Amino acid sequence: MSKEIISINGTISKPGEALISVMDRGFLYGDSVYEVTLTYNKIPFLLDEHLDRLYRSAKSIHMKFSFSREDLVNEIFKIVEKLTGDRLYIRIIVTRGIGEINLDPAASKTNNLVIIGRQLPVYPKSWYTEGVSLIVSDVLRNSKRSIDPNVKSGNYLNNVLAMAEAKEKGAFDAMMLNHKGNITEGTTSNIWIVEGSKFITPPLEAGLLGGITRKSLLILASKNGLEVSEENITPERLKKADECFLTSSTKEIVPIIKVDETLIGTGKPGAKTQNLHQIYKKFVMEYIS
Ligand code: PDD
């Protein structure tokens, strides 16, 4: 049993020993797609949804997989079994593979499938009990007409730059705007605000990754009689919100208490945010039981 293992095309190695060629197009061009799923009690949460998104991302960039979905699922479970701990971070990366230095995708014939499995780091409790801060970044989210942000590809350089800006300014994360000046999402999470009793998140048309947590929450909130809506959010609207939070598979729901220099609501995690987090946790428990 290990704390971290990596599989490359089915061969399992320890982290320092898992090597891939520099001629891989993921390395050369960011020509890859990926997913991150979390396990609870060693059960990969919403794995089908993550794999559907992986296949959808691949289709969008005209990438065909040289392995079957069944093989991929078996490989994920093989890794999960070999790891200790119940909260595991599973990162599935598929590159277009190795080929000559040549932008033509046909230069490579076979994908490389890399799966990184490790224990999820224990996040500081204060993120959830005290909340965290955001900045609105100068870096724009890429347009849907370049790499659609709804494709989870290995091209994260805009997000890396936005995160660097957040860190320079002492913030937890950065919000990226689209070319119209509307908020899209965080660097690895979706954004939500609460206005009165309404939960609002930007629509996919704003140019963002359709998060699986985001989608679950849209459904869960409605089922629990909460008002939800997909609407454009400007930075000004964000700063006037009563509550604000980020969502992702790995972090679940993280309350936001400050954006740039503006406190959100009372400057403390909002009650409606915390209530939605309880609903989400209940959903996770039902899924794994
Ligand atoms: N990130 N937006 C972006 C740009 C993301 O990279 C992610 C996920 C999300 C949230 O999606 P989901 O709810 O499906 O996790 C939104 C993962 C966790 C990552 O890259 O580590």
Side-chain angles (χ1 to χ4, degrees):
M1 297 290 268
S2 317
K3 286 188 176 167
E4 177 168 3
I5 46 178
I6 299 172
S7 152
I8 301 180
N9 301 320
T11 304
I12 291 191
S13 313
K14 291 184 199 144
E17 292 162 11
L19 303 174
I20 199 146
S21 166
V22 293
M23 299 302 272
D24 183 275
R25 295 176 64 92
F27 177 75
L28 290 172
Y29 306 121
D31 192 356
S32 63
V33 289
Y34 84 99
E35 274 302 319
V36 175
T37 177
L38 188 66
T39 71
Y40 294 87
N41 281 356
K42 292 208 134 179
I43 298 167
F45 186 55
L46 299 176
L47 183 60
D48 272 340
E49 282 80 351
H50 283 279
L51 295 185
D52 287 349
R53 188 168 65 185
L54 184 75
Y55 277 79
R56 201 197 63 220
S57 294
K59 193 168 176 219
S60 306
I61 64 163
H62 314 288
M63 186 192 282
K64 285 212 173 76
F65 290 168
S66 44
F67 48 84
S68 69
R69 183 158 168 154
E70 198 189 343
D71 288 346
L72 174 56
V73 170
N74 288 340
E75 196 57 28
I76 293 167
F77 280 100
K78 198 168 95 189
I79 287 165
V80 168
E81 269 170 31
K82 290 185 189 301
L83 287 164
T84 48
D86 61 354
R87 281 280 176 108
L88 304 171
Y89 169 104
I90 308 292
R91 190 180 186 95
I92 306 151
I93 306 158
V94 189
T95 78
R96 211 181 298 263
I98 294 167
E100 271 312 303
I101 299 181
N102 178 350
L103 287 185
D104 182 356
S108 111
K109 300 279 175 264
T110 317
N111 308 113
N112 275 321
L113 167 62
V114 178
I115 306 175
I116 303 172
R118 54 162 64 153
Q119 292 179 348
L120 186 76
V122 179
Y123 298 132
K125 265 214 171 82
S126 62
W127 289 2
Y128 301 94
T129 55
E130 289 162 35
V132 299
S133 66
L134 297 178
I135 58 149
V136 177
S137 175
D138 284 339
V139 182
L140 295 186
R141 191 74 172 105
N142 39 296
S143 141
K144 280 163 72 73
R145 292 180 61 190
S146 45
I147 306 161
D148 187 342
N150 201 17
V151 172
K152 201 160 170 54
S153 82
N155 275 268
Y156 260 54
L157 201 45
N158 284 318
N159 307 39
V160 170
L161 295 176
M163 177 54 100
E165 192 185 336
K167 292 297 150 195
E168 264 166 36
K169 294 180 177 163
F172 177 81
D173 198 2
M175 289 301 102
M176 289 178 287
L177 304 179
N178 61 21
H179 65 286
K180 289 185 180 156
N182 290 318
I183 302 247
T184 61
E185 59 184 338
T187 59
T188 55
S189 54
N190 292 115
I191 177 104
W192 294 70
I193 58 172
V194 181
E195 284 178 350
S197 57
K198 188 155 83 167
F199 290 82
I200 304 161
T201 192
L204 292 182
E205 297 74 55
L208 49 98
L209 181 73
I212 288 164
T213 320
R214 173 186 178 278
K215 190 171 168 197
S216 302
L217 288 172
L218 283 169
I219 297 168
L220 277 174
S222 294
K223 271 194 187 158
N224 282 272
L226 303 172
E227 199 186 343
V228 277
S229 165
E230 294 173 75
E231 294 173 21
N232 280 318
I233 303 173
T234 59
E236 295 69 35
R237 187 175 181 188
L238 170 65
K239 289 175 189 177
K240 283 192 205 133
D242 298 318
E243 300 183 21
C244 175
F245 56 92
L246 292 179
T247 61
S248 82
S249 302
T250 49
K251 301 192 180 76
E252 300 183 348
I253 295 181
V254 182
I256 305 302
I257 52 158
K258 200 170 114 186
V259 179
D260 293 332
E261 294 311 317
T262 308
L263 284 184
I264 303 300
T266 59
K268 296 206 170 80
K272 295 196 170 63
T273 302
Q274 287 175 325
N275 176 45
L276 190 65
H277 199 171
Q278 290 313 315
I279 291 174
Y280 184 76
K281 284 184 175 163
K282 205 169 143 235
F283 169 60
V284 172
M285 286 306 140
E286 280 163 11
Y287 183 91
I288 62 168
S289 60

